[in-house]
């Protein structure tokens, strides 16, 4: 079962990593379709790797990239105007989001929708 974002990544393991923020925010409406990226921040350094789950993801451009701290993941995306998105992180079968110690993130998801975008003149 996919968890609510408030519990995103929380598992019974005290050693499990957690997502502390995602941009755009969960449930956000009228997100600018020109945003160009989704940013995921974790509470601890992560291993290289990811499991982006579900068919509600926007088109990804290139590979997701962690910053030097391995706590911030940037996913370049192409968003469409007036579209609902559902982003899944890990699942019971795919657990590539793991802490540096190898403990997987618990499965979770979030949603947001884009607005109309810039109006042509």
């Amino acid at each position: 079962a996919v968890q609510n974002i408030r519990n995103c990544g929380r598992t019974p393991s005290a050693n499990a990593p957690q997502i502390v923020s995602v941009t755009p925010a969960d449930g956000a409406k009228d997100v600018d379709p020109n945003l160009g990226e989704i940013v995921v921040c974790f509470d601890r350094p992560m291993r290289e790797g990811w499991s982006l789950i579900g068919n509600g993801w926007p088109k990804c451009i290139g590979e997701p990239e962690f910053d030097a701290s391995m706590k911030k993941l940037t996913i370049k995306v192409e968003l469409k105007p007036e579209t609902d998105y559902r982003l899944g992180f890990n699942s019971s079968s795919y657990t590539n989001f793991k802490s540096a110690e190898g403990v997987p993130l618990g499965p979770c998801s979030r949603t947001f929708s884009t607005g109309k975008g810039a109006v042509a003149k």
Side-chain angles (χ1 to χ4, degrees):
V2 175
Q3 299 175 352
N4 181 291
I5 190 68
R6 288 182 196 91
N7 296 317
C8 197
R10 290 184 174 89
T11 64
S13 170
N15 295 329
Q18 296 179 22
I19 291 176
V20 294
S21 69
V22 180
T23 302
D26 187 37
K29 306 284 186 211
D30 294 323
V31 171
D32 183 351
N34 297 309
L35 181 65
E37 64 185 25
I38 294 169
V39 178
V40 184
C41 294
F42 298 90
D43 68 339
R44 65 195 70 194
M46 302 294 283
R47 285 188 177 174
E48 193 70 44
W50 51 85
S51 293
L52 306 177
I53 305 300
N55 60 2
W57 277 88
K59 178 182 176 183
C60 293
I61 301 168
E63 301 241 333
E65 294 182 4
F66 278 98
D67 70 354
S69 75
M70 297 299 286
K71 289 181 166 185
K72 178 180 172 184
L73 181 72
T74 301
I75 307 162
K76 302 274 187 208
V77 294
E78 186 177 296
L79 300 175
K80 295 180 180 178
E82 299 181 301
T83 302
D84 295 329
Y85 292 101
R86 180 183 172 103
L87 315 177
F89 305 92
N90 276 3
S91 71
S92 57
S93 303
Y94 299 96
T95 58
N96 289 317
F97 278 116
K98 293 182 181 177
S99 68
E101 294 78 29
V103 180
L105 174 78
C108 59
S109 69
R110 67 177 307 100
T111 61
F112 70 91
S113 18
T114 54
K116 292 182 180 184
V119 177
K121 291 185 178 184

